[in-house]
Amino acid sequence: MFLIRAKHSARAVFPAHLMKRRLYFHLNISGQPDMTLSTYHTIQSVFCCCCCCFTVQKRAMRTKMNMDLDSDQMTQYSASQSHVSYACSWKCRHKSKLQSKNKPLPPLPDEALEDYTKNLRVIALYDFYARGPSDLPLKKSEEYLILEQYDPHWWKARDQHGNEGLIPSNYVTENKKNNLEMYEWYCKNINRRQAEHLLCQESKEGAFVVRDSSQQGLLTLSMYSQAKGSHSVRHYQIKKNHLGQYYVAEKYHFSTVPELIEYHQHNAAGLVTRLRHPVGSAGCSSPAAAGFSYEEWELNPSELMFLKELGRGQFGVVQLGKWKATITVAIKTINEGAMSAEDFIEEAKVMMKLSHPKLVQLYGVCTQHKPLYVVTEFMENGCLLSYLRQRRRKLGTHMLLSMCQDVCEGMEYLERNSFIHRDLAARNCLVNAEHIVKVSDFGMARYVIDNEYISSSGAKFPVKWSSPEVFHFKKYSSKSDVWSFGVLMWEVFTEGKMPFESKSSFEVVREISQGNRLYRPHLASHSVYKVMYSCWHEKPEGRPTFAELMETLTDITEVDNPDFT
Ligand code: ADP
């Protein structure tokens, strides 16, 4: 028997009764589910894993080549050797420590040693500061042992000194020989535009990063060069010859990618310059964890510090703040009477478990006092709509397309978890310091108390973003989100224009019902317009899914913008 509630669909992924189980499906930052099923598994969790596996497989294959890179793509490389011996020495140290404490000791039972070696070993990608007594601090590059996987986001770990506690799973990566994430030059989850931004920020001759190519299963080497006095970022696809060897320059072939990188760190050999400064995950800020701690969604308001107003929305004022004087957050004050709070509080627990690099992370809520606070990840560049309007004619079409891809990725995650946004629009997306766009306010429309917003004839109802089945029958689905996504693409490619200009809701409904659609923005190529147009099919079943949209947008990136120089 398996519990799926259509409305609170995130539970389909990790139902509450399974939370404390040993769940060995990994939806960590690599995004590729690693199907290690432990003996603690229930039928439910196996089913869970399979669902996730099927749905993420396609996307993960394209965007990520890290944890579960096929061994035929990546054969052994030398760097792994040090980790193997390091792990061994840790094991030996651990054993000798035990012995010295309790002399005389019988030999360590084989079983214990076996269990110890069986557990997952990970390397910290970022420092993590303990936020509560149950957390274990992480130090970048150090190794940890995973003891329990409470849910996809919080794991129990042990450090090399025997300390145990909880860690966010997206701060670590598996310590295994074919995992590129262990290398400082590898940056997963970034596209061409983000790589360029990262390298230009570094602005050093020979600064480089290796990322997943927009072409499925391939890697791209992006490097910054000041050759001949002009600054540029070049993109080289790492190719494979018929013998399975990797190369960027025709004459120099290597059996592994790390060997290739190491060679070109010493020799330009066909590249514009040698690879001098790795700019990998170190250049990216640490990701948002799913909440401040495992299942800690109720926050103490006395631990919040309010710094300045960021904006005002449907529910009230949004302020920049700090949690426990350390973590920068955005705090949304919910005005009394603006929200059906009880329903939201219940749902907040589910929403906190939604965690993806392209979703604005919900950290927690303060519900014990009035007014209610909603605490989220802070996004330095504010709302997407203002961002677009403030940068008119400054953002190239590659950048515009890449922003649509960001939103599409976040929406694909919601679709995969059967979570409906209901109010997707540029005003409900935010942009961070690295110019990555993330989807915000997902599902929040359900808790608004304001007839002007709720009623489809109300002045605040987002008719211009709504599909026919929504403005006629309030029938929301991931496919009605797809319609809104098409309108969002239109907003992006018009650099923040108002769809249907000053037309009234009544006129918009009439236009749409007559089969008219928004025009092609002049910055949108025909292929880009075709994508947004496909989202406006009258019938939901005629529209693409977000997973399909991601494929199409990637194809367009390749054609309009080949991923190599
Ligand atoms: P509401 O959900 O109450 O309608 P919004 O989410 O639209 O409020 O927020 C209002 C404004 O506050 C946004 O347009 C944006 O400028 C700012 N804001 C909201 N959330 C954040 C955040 N997480 N980081 C930075 N700015 C934010």
Side-chain angles (χ1 to χ4, degrees), residues 248-509:
V248 280
E250 286 291 345
K251 281 191 259 168
Y252 307 93
H253 297 167
F254 304 89
S255 53
T256 69
V257 173
E259 281 170 18
L260 176 149
I261 298 298
E262 202 189 334
Y263 178 82
H264 285 289
Q265 282 182 300
H266 299 102
N267 311 280
L271 305 183
V272 63
T273 173
R274 74 181 170 84
L275 306 175
R276 291 163 198 265
H277 307 284
V279 186
S281 52
C284 307
S285 52
S286 52
F292 290 133
S293 203
Y294 176 61
E295 294 217 316
E296 192 183 309
W297 53 273
E298 178 69 51
L299 305 177
N300 183 346
S302 69
E303 291 173 345
L304 292 175
M305 207 158 81
F306 295 82
L307 298 174
K308 69 164 189 185
E309 184 173 324
L310 294 169
R312 273 168 196 272
Q314 180 69 35
F315 296 115
V317 64
V318 182
Q319 294 182 74
L320 172 68
K322 290 255 182 204
W323 180 74
K324 286 195 176 171
T326 49
I327 299 175
T328 307
V329 293
I331 309 163
K332 198 175 275 191
T333 304
I334 309 296
N335 291 340
E336 262 187 75
M339 175 192 264
S340 32
E342 262 152 45
D343 292 346
F344 169 71
I345 292 165
E346 262 312 295
E347 183 67 354
K349 297 175 198 168
V350 173
M351 285 158 82
M352 273 189 55
K353 298 284 174 197
L354 294 169
S355 189
H356 186 273
K358 304 294 163 66
L359 291 188
V360 176
Q361 182 65 50
L362 173 64
Y363 285 139
V365 285
C366 301
T367 64
Q368 302 300 313
H369 303 269
K370 292 275 155 40
L372 204 96
Y373 296 131
V374 176
V375 181
T376 66
E377 177 181 0
F378 169 57
M379 299 289 285
E380 294 81 350
N381 274 307
C383 130
L384 172 62
L385 186 60
S386 321
Y387 181 94
L388 289 164
R389 290 178 176 172
Q390 285 157 8
R391 289 167 180 77
R392 280 196 172 142
R393 285 173 291 279
K394 293 198 183 85
L395 304 166
T397 51
H398 295 157
M399 172 87 168
L400 299 178
L401 189 59
S402 158
M403 293 177 135
C404 295
Q405 282 179 295
D406 286 347
V407 175
C408 194
E409 257 187 70
M411 290 306 298
E412 189 270 337
Y413 173 86
L414 291 184
E415 173 184 77
R416 195 168 2 118
N417 287 290
S418 317
F419 194 99
I420 308 169
H421 190 299
R422 291 163 196 254
D423 195 7
L424 180 63
R427 64 181 174 279
N428 284 331
C429 293
L430 295 163
V431 187
N432 74 4
E434 283 142 20
H435 304 270
I436 292 171
V437 183
K438 303 193 186 194
V439 177
S440 180
D441 288 332
F442 33 93
M444 294 298 283
R446 286 168 295 168
Y447 307 105
V448 175
I449 302 179
D450 181 347
N451 254 337
E452 290 301 311
Y453 181 89
I454 303 166
S455 159
S456 53
S457 55
K460 293 188 198 161
F461 188 87
V463 171
K464 294 175 174 181
W465 286 262
S466 300
S467 59
E469 72 276 12
V470 165
F471 58 63
H472 286 312
F473 314 111
K474 289 280 199 84
K475 201 169 173 304
Y476 291 94
S477 65
S478 290
K479 290 298 183 83
S480 64
D481 280 348
V482 166
W483 179 291
S484 313
F485 176 73
V487 182
L488 180 142
M489 280 187 73
W490 187 92
E491 291 182 278
V492 169
F493 277 89
T494 54
E495 299 176 300
K497 278 197 180 155
M498 171 59 92
F500 306 96
E501 279 128 13
S502 56
K503 285 199 171 81
S504 69
S505 296
F506 176 77
E507 288 169 314
V508 172
V509 169

Side-chain angles (χ1 to χ4, degrees), residues 29-219:
I29 37 175
S30 78
Q32 180 83 307
D34 190 349
M35 296 281 293
T36 324
L37 302 183
S38 90
T39 50
Y40 287 68
H41 259 81
T42 59
I43 282 176
Q44 290 96 319
S45 55
V46 174
F47 177 71
C48 241
C49 295
C50 296
C51 295
C52 286
C53 183
F54 275 123
T55 47
V56 295
Q57 194 86 14
K58 224 172 172 182
R59 182 175 74 93
M61 277 305 288
R62 184 180 55 255
T63 58
K64 298 165 186 78
M65 274 192 67
N66 32 49
M67 271 177 75
D68 303 295
L69 206 73
D70 287 340
S71 47
D72 72 335
Q73 286 174 310
M74 289 289 304
T75 49
Q76 264 196 336
Y77 41 76
S78 53
S80 63
Q81 302 308 322
S82 62
H83 291 294
V84 172
S85 53
Y86 176 66
C88 288
S89 70
W90 180 24
K91 198 166 87 181
C92 297
R93 276 207 306 277
H94 189 77
K95 194 174 169 182
S96 64
K97 200 169 126 192
L98 278 175
Q99 283 171 342
S100 64
K101 263 191 182 170
N102 308 300
K103 278 186 213 166
L105 251 191
L108 204 64
D110 279 355
E111 202 185 295
L113 204 61
E114 200 181 287
D115 189 46
Y116 174 80
T117 50
K118 248 190 326 205
N119 281 326
L120 182 70
R121 286 197 198 85
V122 295
I123 292 278
L125 294 167
Y126 314 91
D127 287 341
F128 170 68
Y129 303 98
R131 294 151 180 189
S134 55
D135 293 342
L136 178 72
L138 295 175
K139 206 159 171 30
K140 190 171 180 263
S141 305
E142 287 199 357
E143 194 189 51
Y144 299 82
L145 193 68
I146 301 302
L147 307 170
E148 286 271 350
Q149 299 182 5
Y150 287 169
D151 72 13
H153 312 298
W154 288 97
W155 295 350
K156 185 176 176 189
R158 183 189 295 149
D159 70 14
Q160 295 161 48
H161 313 287
N163 304 311
E164 293 181 4
L166 293 172
I167 60 161
S169 62
N170 56 344
Y171 275 57
V172 295
T173 189
E174 193 174 2
N175 186 0
K176 75 176 183 192
K177 62 177 189 267
N178 56 2
N179 184 1
L180 284 186
E181 273 193 69
M182 295 195 303
Y183 292 87
E184 57 180 337
W185 38 256
Y186 178 66
C187 205
K188 65 194 189 65
N189 268 339
I190 62 164
N191 60 27
R192 182 184 174 113
R193 170 178 65 85
Q194 287 149 1
E196 287 174 356
H197 178 75
L198 211 61
L199 294 171
C200 290
Q201 244 181 354
E202 187 78 8
S203 170
K204 283 188 189 150
E205 174 72 0
F208 73 101
V209 66
V210 175
R211 59 186 173 89
D212 297 336
S213 168
S214 55
Q215 261 171 282
Q216 202 176 49
L218 295 177
L219 293 167

